Amino acid sequence: MFRRTPIVVVTALVASLAGVPLIARAANALQSGETPAAADPLVKRSDTGSYIVQLDDAPVAEYGGDIAGLPATRVLPGGKLVKTASQVVGYVKHLAEERQTLLETVPGVKKLYDYSYTYSGFSAQMSYDEAVKLARSSGVKSVEPNELQRQDTVDTPRFLGMSGTGGAWQQAGGVDRAGDGVIIGVIDSGFVPERASFAPMKTSKQSDAIVAKKWKGTCQAGEEAPVTCNNKVIGARYFDKGIGSRPIAEEFKSPRDYGGHGTHTASTAGGNHGVEMSVMGRDYGKGSGIAPHARLAIYKVLWAVDQSGGGSGTDADIVAGIDAAVADGVDVINYSVSGSGSTYVNATGLAFLRAAKAGVFVATSAGNTGPGVGTVGKNYPWVTTVANGTHDRDIQTTVTLGDGKTYTGAGIGAGTPQAPVTLAKDAGLAGADPATLARCQPGTLDPAKVNGKIVVCDRGVSDRVDKSKQVKAAGGIGMILLNITPGTLDADLHTVPTVHLDDQIAPAVTAYVGGTANPTATIGPGTPVRVTAPKVATSSSRGPSPAGNGDLLKPDIMAPGTNVLAATTAFSAAGGEYAFMSGTSMASPHIAGAAAVLKGRHPDWSPMAIKSALLTTGTDQDTSGKPIRNESGSEANPFGYGAGMVQPEKAMDPGLVYDSSYADWAKFVCGSGQVPATHELCAGGKIDPSDLNYPTIAVGDLAGKQTVTRTVTNVGQLPEIYVPKVEGLAKVKVTVTPRILITLPGRTATYKVTFENTGAPLEQYSFGKLTWKSNQHAVTSTLAIRPLTVKAPTQVTGTGTAGSVQVPITAGYSGTLNTTAAGLTAATTAEADLKNPGGVSFPTANPQVNDHVAKFTVNIQAGVKYARFSTFDADYPAGTDLDVFVYKAGTAALLGSSTGGSAEEQVDLAQPAGGPVDVYVDLFGGANEQQVKLNHWELQKSEGNLTVTPATQQVQVAGQTTVTASWTGLTAGMRYLGQLHYSDGADGSGSTVVRVDS
């Protein structure tokens, strides 16, 4: 403080001397004995009064042994830096001597730190003159100011390349033009109008005119805690007819947000720039939405239906919100809400189909049911489905145990002093269920055993923040939250200081606390740190898409979604205004905001052109330049991150884009087989789903050889010549024709890609990239190809107690094809009486039975090849809506789900592990009282009533043939299921389900 005050005084003095001859001022300075320092181009002045000095000598990690008598210390690939190694100790001593020699030339400086291992040099407080002197000294590579860095989502614009020289904001014309004239519709749980992220902003007459011309919406104040709008949030509406009386009493019958989710997503997508953000008393700097100058329109369709504050909404309200948003004139929609991954034609999917047809870009969350395969939701090609990637700014906390060992995890609160620590399982009330107690669930902890202690709780079933609430209620002063399986680490707003540790650390903590007399622990305060990123968050849902037989790559792209800082409600911010939240819900608004910036810069681009620009410029590398990995540490692939982490600054000028229209999407859906040929979407014909003009290329059923077609449009200002480069796809021959694309501005060019299996493993996906390169641009399409033993229908159907059906097959190899049959097996049924349809999203992380949810436990026999759980429209009155969820019994491990808009639901388990599963059937909508029937089949062996001919035949790669499935002796009025199994006699296999309604 004392060093900065004179600067202010001098500055004021200089200002007061305006008009005094410069020579007089210089003379006065000389008389006082001070010599003004001339600016040196090699050194930038430091506002903090300290500098970082880099030596010419390499740091330990890079030193190659070029100094006589000092052997190399550099770390080789796969090795580690060993601080105590003799050569390292010797080289560090040499660096210390070099530092000392330099410091003797400037005796008045105060050294702060020595750097030897990853950086060679030191930092010190010194005058500008002393910094200049050091910069000119022999042995010094550079002298840099020690600048004050503020943690700034706050940091997401930098991480994504929005801010800074050449960033997307600069390309858009500056921060005050990023998203200018664009309206983002946020379909979520409402907003808090008082947050600074939604304050009025300075606009131009031009952008006001653009918005006024297309905006047709209203600001619906509401009945409870009414909201107001301004030139930032230009509209707000709420939809509650579907949810009815289910919201809790604390909810607001208005667009005002209670739970906090909607406020967070809205401020992330388009919140104001330069907003001061603090959490639990810690200042995290100035934050910004991704499109800070976009206008926002809020559509509240999610409501708090329990004390957790989590938002639930009905399809009726959601579709109404989508409908209103499109009609109101929004340009972009963010939809961070759960949804089915098995269908293209549910109500929400069709609503978004029309929204896209109307020119609205839609960003949706991929879901939080990862890391299992095929868990990705909202697989519609007309929306952009977003995965959750970690941020390079992490908030970490340490815990030091009484044995001196320290472990690092996630946490943002204050720390604790050293205190006694206990395992929750050892601190329970009499009679408490052991599993429930270990997870610190309500009503399990004994205050007499917890008071004044830190409690170790297992993650799972109940909300993470509720666990710390239970600890505090029992008198605890801190919590150690343990992942017991691989999962994300989340910096939540806990009621007591908390550190969240991963499953690799958990056993050591449990062993110490449970096996030590009088164990203790100390939790440190949360600290922002830089880490390698992105990684695919464990909870982020993965591909391949359950819909479309793998011929569409989903998720589309990845954005930061872990520990994202943005505005929220007092409920979610522990009484504050900002909080860190995690999930694909947080990733999606980053893409919505980026799309708004692109739309503002390129108002004539279609939603699919914007999507293409974002996907073809994504990166599959992390900040260290290495391939993106999963949060668990394993190798990631495009089923986790899609086209990679978004890079908006590159998307602003992509060179080429892949565009498509409603007619193309209709042909795609028709070709997927999800609708009959008589469906309205088939009026224009059909295409192989792989041929949709998409920015990525997926072939989930490569039968030896297949050619796909793509068309690109030059969106640049100049003609360009592009040549293709293919990477990856080992043992898949890729042929691109033509070998050169000559593109004119605004014109299109078409090319074909032929994939031919030349020995790649069957039934497994291979990944690669096709990049079209010019002198100015690189346009990359991610490739996902799965060679099959045979390409055959997923399912064929028949009727009657006896009959047959022909099954067309395309071979993926040359040799002998063997076909066998399992089944036919009649459905096993179970029934339950349900009432009071829920109309709210099923709590997938905490499955519960209630009056509208039934649980059926089924023991799947060992060796079962295929299991199916189904409900059928034909069994229920019109308007009945059921949802089905299958879990590993007694756990929250979701194995599969089906959540369409009717009573026709189906969950398939291929090669299931033997053992019990819990099947939940949720009466989502329909009559107030309804008996539900769950059908299930297990296919293991032939039942003698299904035969296949020929059982053996010779096939050629890419050659077409058929087999005939015949059945006899079935009981009338039953539903049967069987399976044809194809084999090449080795590892290759395939199957077709045979369903017969007798």
Side-chain angles (χ1 to χ4, degrees):
M1 293 296 293
F2 292 104
R3 294 176 63 86
R4 295 183 63 84
T5 304
I7 297 175
V8 176
V9 173
V10 171
T11 303
L13 176 61
V14 170
S16 71
L17 294 175
V20 178
L22 179 61
I23 190 169
R25 284 183 242 166
N28 290 338
L30 290 173
Q31 289 176 4
S32 65
E34 298 177 2
T35 304
D40 189 294
L42 297 177
V43 182
K44 180 181 176 183
R45 289 184 184 271
S46 170
D47 291 333
T48 63
S50 58
Y51 295 81
I52 299 174
V53 180
Q54 182 180 194
L55 303 179
D56 280 336
D57 289 338
V60 167
E62 293 180 352
Y63 173 59
D66 55 320
I67 301 175
L70 293 174
T73 61
R74 64 179 174 221
V75 180
L76 299 177
K80 293 180 68 67
L81 192 155
V82 181
K83 182 179 179 180
T84 56
S86 60
Q87 64 269 34
V88 172
V89 172
Y91 186 64
V92 168
K93 181 180 179 181
H94 162 76
L95 292 178
E97 292 170 351
E98 292 293 301
R99 283 192 293 264
Q100 184 59 35
T101 300
L102 282 170
L103 286 167
E104 288 175 355
T105 66
V106 282
V109 308
K110 180 181 178 182
K111 188 171 68 172
L112 301 176
Y113 294 102
D114 290 333
Y115 309 118
S116 299
Y117 302 100
T118 60
Y119 191 94
S120 171
F122 61 93
S123 59
Q125 290 181 342
M126 65 183 80
S127 69
Y128 181 71
D129 287 348
E130 290 167 330
V132 170
K133 183 176 181 179
L134 283 175
R136 294 174 174 173
S137 301
S138 174
V140 173
K141 181 176 292 186
S142 66
V143 178
E144 302 175 14
N146 177 32
E147 296 181 331
L148 181 65
Q149 301 291 341
R150 302 190 72 180
Q151 295 301 315
D152 63 20
T153 67
V154 294
D155 213 20
T156 304
R158 172 205 55 78
F159 182 40
L160 294 183
M162 304 299 301
S163 58
T165 303
W169 287 346
Q170 185 183 73
Q171 293 182 57
V175 171
D176 58 353
R177 296 294 301 277
D180 196 31
V182 177
I183 305 169
I184 302 175
V186 182
I187 298 177
D188 213 298
S189 63
F191 80 121
V192 179
E194 293 81 13
R195 295 293 178 263
S197 296
F198 308 127
M201 62 182 188
K202 185 178 180 180
T203 62
S204 67
K205 291 183 179 179
Q206 181 182 13
S207 66
D208 287 344
I210 292 172
V211 170
K213 184 176 181 180
K214 60 188 171 185
W215 176 245
K216 309 300 180 186
T218 61
C219 187
Q220 185 181 11
E223 300 176 20
E224 299 173 356
V227 304
T228 57
C229 299
N230 52 34
N231 69 348
K232 178 63 179 180
V233 180
I234 60 175
R237 301 175 67 173
Y238 65 100
F239 301 85
D240 63 350
K241 293 180 180 179
I243 202 73
S245 60
R246 297 181 187 91
I248 59 176
E250 294 87 343
E251 252 288 12
F252 308 111
K253 192 175 179 62
S254 75
R256 182 175 291 276
D257 189 8
Y258 173 78
H261 190 273
T263 301
H264 202 279
T265 58
S267 58
T268 298
N272 287 327
H273 182 263
V275 174
E276 293 283 354
M277 294 185 178
S278 63
V279 179
M280 299 184 76
R282 180 183 288 270
D283 180 15
Y284 285 95
K286 293 183 177 181
S288 175
I290 299 301
H293 224 64
R295 317 300 176 97
L296 292 169
I298 306 298
Y299 299 87
K300 181 176 179 178
V301 301
L302 302 183
W303 304 81
V305 296
D306 56 39
Q307 296 302 320
S308 73
S312 295
T314 67
D315 283 343
D317 292 337
I318 289 169
V319 173
I322 299 169
D323 198 51
V326 175
D328 287 348
V330 304
D331 301 292
V332 174
I333 285 175
N334 185 74
Y335 183 73
S336 293
V337 185
S338 64
S340 173
S342 60
T343 178
Y344 299 124
V345 291
N346 60 347
T348 304
L350 291 175
F352 283 134
L353 172 67
R354 280 57 180 258
K357 184 179 182 181
V360 178
F361 178 96
V362 181
T364 69
S365 51
N368 301 315
T369 54
V373 298
T375 52
V376 62
K378 289 153 291 182
N379 292 307
Y380 326 117
W382 44 87
V383 307
T384 301
T385 309
V386 189
N388 171 7
T390 61
H391 204 292
D392 73 339
R393 180 264 303 123
D394 197 12
I395 311 298
Q396 294 183 349
T397 297
T398 60
V399 58
T400 301
L401 303 179
D403 61 3
K405 294 180 180 178
T406 297
Y407 302 101
T408 299
I412 60 174
T416 68
Q418 187 178 42
V421 58
T422 182
L423 298 176
K425 74 179 187 67
D426 297 330
L429 293 166
D433 176 72
T436 302
L437 172 60
R439 297 189 182 105
C440 296
Q441 290 181 246
T444 60
L445 293 173
D446 185 348
K449 301 175 182 177
V450 170
N451 188 52
K453 296 181 180 179
I454 296 169
V455 182
V456 180
C457 302
D458 289 346
R459 182 179 185 173
V461 182
S462 60
D463 291 340
R464 296 184 301 270
V465 294
D466 186 66
K467 296 176 190 293
S468 61
K469 190 179 298 182
Q470 301 306 319
V471 170
K472 183 175 182 179
I477 65 166
M479 180 176 74
I480 301 172
L481 178 61
L482 300 181
N483 281 356
I484 54 177
T485 59
T488 56
L489 296 181
D490 302 279
D492 298 309
L493 287 175
H494 285 283
T495 309
V496 294
T498 295
V499 58
H500 187 178
L501 302 175
D502 68 29
D503 60 299
Q504 299 298 308
I505 296 173
V509 174
T510 302
Y512 165 74
V513 178
T516 304
N518 304 315
T520 62
T522 306
I523 298 176
T527 302
V529 296
R530 284 275 180 262
V531 294
T532 299
K535 297 177 182 177
V536 185
T538 302
S539 62
S540 188
S541 295
R542 287 355 191 237
S545 164
N549 200 30
D551 281 351
L552 184 75
L553 178 60
K554 288 283 182 170
D556 287 305
I557 199 162
M558 187 165 70
T562 299
N563 292 336
V564 175
L565 178 58
T568 189
T569 62
F571 175 88
S572 286
E577 298 184 352
Y578 303 92
F580 292 92
M581 292 187 179
S582 298
T584 55
S585 284
M586 283 62 250
S588 181
H590 286 88
I591 297 299
V597 175
L598 263 68
K599 185 69 174 178
R601 181 69 177 85
H602 304 286
D604 57 333
W605 282 12
S606 71
M608 295 303 102
I610 293 173
K611 176 177 185 172
S612 176
L614 292 168
L615 267 61
T616 61
T617 57
T619 179
D620 60 2
Q621 296 186 334
D622 61 25
T623 50
S624 71
K626 296 180 180 179
I628 292 172
R629 303 189 72 81
N630 293 315
E631 194 173 23
S632 63
S634 62
E635 182 179 349
N637 63 46
F639 286 149
Y641 54 69
M645 178 60 90
V646 65
Q647 298 187 108
E649 79 280 11
K650 293 186 177 180
M652 297 292 284
D653 179 24
L656 304 173
V657 298
Y658 297 82
D659 212 344
S660 58
S661 66
Y662 177 86
D664 301 316
W665 309 328
K667 293 177 182 177
F668 169 91
V669 174
C670 190
S672 74
Q674 287 206 356
V675 296
T678 54
H679 195 280
E680 62 180 4
L681 291 174
C682 293
K686 65 180 181 179
I687 59 173
D688 186 298
S690 294
D691 278 327
L692 180 67
N693 200 44
Y694 214 67
T696 55
I697 299 176
V699 181
D701 51 5
L702 178 65
K705 186 176 182 179
Q706 184 170 337
T707 298
V708 301
T709 302
R710 291 291 188 270
T711 299
V712 292
T713 303
N714 183 343
V715 292
Q717 301 298 313
L718 299 171
E720 289 191 76
I721 299 174
Y722 287 86
V723 294
K725 179 182 179 182
V726 177
E727 302 171 80
L729 291 184
K731 296 187 179 180
V732 175
K733 181 182 178 181
V734 183
T735 305
V736 183
T737 55
R739 296 294 300 170
I740 187 172
L741 286 183
I742 301 175
T743 64
L744 300 176
R747 303 293 291 273
T748 63
T750 298
Y751 68 90
K752 295 180 182 294
V753 188
T754 299
F755 302 96
E756 183 176 0
N757 185 15
T758 58
L762 297 172
E763 317 301 329
Q764 297 180 29
Y765 275 93
S766 296
F767 302 99
K769 294 187 289 186
L770 166 61
T771 302
W772 286 96
K773 290 190 173 183
S774 72
N775 289 334
Q776 301 295 326
H777 298 100
V779 186
T780 298
S781 291
T782 302
L783 309 176
I785 310 297
R786 180 177 60 173
L788 297 184
T789 307
V790 296
K791 182 177 182 178
T794 304
Q795 178 173 300
V796 293
T797 59
T799 58
T801 58
S804 65
V805 62
Q806 281 198 329
V807 184
I809 294 172
T810 303
Y813 67 100
S814 294
T816 302
L817 172 64
N818 304 303
T819 308
T820 57
L824 294 165
T825 301
T828 299
T829 61
E831 298 176 345
D833 293 321
L834 299 178
K835 61 183 179 179
N836 302 327
V840 296
S841 298
F842 183 80
T844 54
N846 186 21
Q848 300 276 341
V849 172
N850 53 47
D851 56 0
H852 60 84
V853 176
K855 182 177 78 170
F856 305 90
T857 298
V858 177
N859 188 35
I860 298 178
Q861 299 300 309
V864 166
K865 298 176 180 178
Y866 185 88
R868 173 176 288 184
F869 303 89
S870 293
T871 60
F872 297 94
D873 275 337
D875 295 340
Y876 303 94
T880 303
D881 185 355
L882 301 177
D883 292 330
V884 177
F885 305 85
V886 182
Y887 291 82
K888 184 178 179 180
T891 75
L894 183 65
L895 302 177
S897 64
S898 182
T899 57
S902 68
E904 192 85 13
E905 304 293 352
Q906 173 182 308
V907 176
D908 297 325
L909 302 179
Q911 302 291 338
V917 297
D918 291 334
V919 185
Y920 293 85
V921 179
D922 183 6
L923 178 60
F924 188 88
N928 283 336
E929 295 187 9
Q930 182 70 62
Q931 184 181 69
V932 298
K933 180 192 294 184
L934 176 68
N935 301 265
H936 104 268
W937 300 262
E938 297 177 27
L939 304 181
Q940 186 171 12
K941 59 184 176 58
S942 173
E943 301 294 339
N945 53 14
L946 176 65
T947 59
V948 58
T949 55
T952 301
Q953 60 179 306
Q954 294 301 118
V955 294
Q956 297 296 320
V957 63
Q960 296 182 343
T961 187
T962 62
V963 296
T964 301
S966 304
W967 58 91
T968 186
L970 305 187
T971 302
M974 304 286 285
R975 293 182 174 117
Y976 287 86
L977 208 68
Q979 187 180 52
L980 304 183
H981 184 261
Y982 313 109
S983 170
D984 64 354
D987 295 332
S989 65
S991 63
T992 296
V993 172
V994 181
R995 179 183 153 192
V996 179
D997 290 347
S998 59

